[in-house]
Amino acid sequence: TKRGIGFVLLGIAVFATFSLASVIAVFTTMSTVKGEAALGLLQSLLVRPIARSALVTGRVVAATFAGFVYCAIVITGASILTKAAGGLPPGNLPNVVIGLTGALAIVASFGVLLSTVFGTAATGMATTMLVSLGFFASLVRQIAEATHAPSVASKADVVSHVLGFNALYEGALGALTQGVGGLAGFALQL
């Protein structure tokens, strides 16, 4: 049905939006500590009476806010397009955007944390690998559940919960799919 197709397209938009918003979070946090120290920017900031924690928190908040604005605009636009195409957008889009924003805050925190250990490029790669690992763990868990492999599913579930952002992303996707059954509901849960 048109409604089911609309929900599937909106689900794909949520996935693409979170993926690209994660890239925003990675790029805005990957040089937070070591990269700025190497460029001499960190020293000039630390001379002023600003606590280091305020500097790091500000970077995470800025990355999260940028991701929030991006998610809100893209998800709202995708919802409007879905409605125009004949599908009904979900009634709880704010929950979708809030869930994605929470997930982005965790990704940004990973970026800042890793930037204390690695250089700029390595931080970007490591944070991107963590996001990919979260998506992979979720996919493995769903395949394991479908093939009745509970031990594999439980291990993949542990990885998803340890990373944290994945549970929030799945919650956002769940808010999108509430009340959607049939083939569209099944496709969105993938």
Side-chain angles (χ1 to χ4, degrees):
T1 67
K2 280 187 174 183
R3 183 173 189 251
I5 291 170
F7 277 116
V8 170
L9 291 175
L10 202 51
I12 291 169
V14 168
F15 172 76
T17 301
F18 180 70
S19 298
L20 293 174
S22 294
V23 170
I24 292 171
V26 168
F27 279 112
T28 56
T29 60
M30 67 185 189
S31 66
T32 298
V33 179
K34 280 211 172 186
E36 289 178 357
L39 293 172
L41 299 173
L42 198 57
Q43 289 81 356
S44 63
L45 287 173
L46 293 178
V47 170
R48 291 175 178 76
I50 297 175
R52 219 176 256 192
S53 61
L55 183 66
V56 170
T57 302
R59 195 54 93 108
V60 171
V61 168
T64 302
F65 183 74
F68 165 75
V69 170
Y70 175 76
C71 286
I73 290 170
V74 173
I75 297 298
T76 301
S79 177
I80 291 168
L81 290 174
T82 300
K83 187 173 182 178
L88 296 174
N92 53 3
L93 280 178
N95 290 343
V96 174
V97 173
I98 289 168
L100 292 179
T101 302
L104 287 172
I106 294 173
V107 171
S109 298
F110 279 145
V112 170
L113 178 67
L114 291 171
S115 76
T116 63
V117 179
F118 301 119
T120 302
T123 297
M125 288 186 284
T127 308
T128 303
M129 289 168 70
L130 284 173
V131 172
S132 299
L133 179 64
F135 283 135
F136 182 71
S138 181
L139 182 61
V140 167
R141 187 191 75 242
Q142 290 174 355
I143 291 170
E145 288 172 354
T147 59
H148 307 291
S151 66
V152 174
S154 67
K155 289 178 178 95
D157 200 40
V158 167
V159 171
S160 289
H161 283 87
V162 166
L163 291 176
F165 70 87
N166 209 30
L168 290 170
Y169 165 75
E170 287 182 12
L173 201 53
L176 177 71
T177 62
Q178 281 180 340
V180 180
L183 185 58
F186 175 75
L188 282 171
Q189 290 176 356
L190 293 177

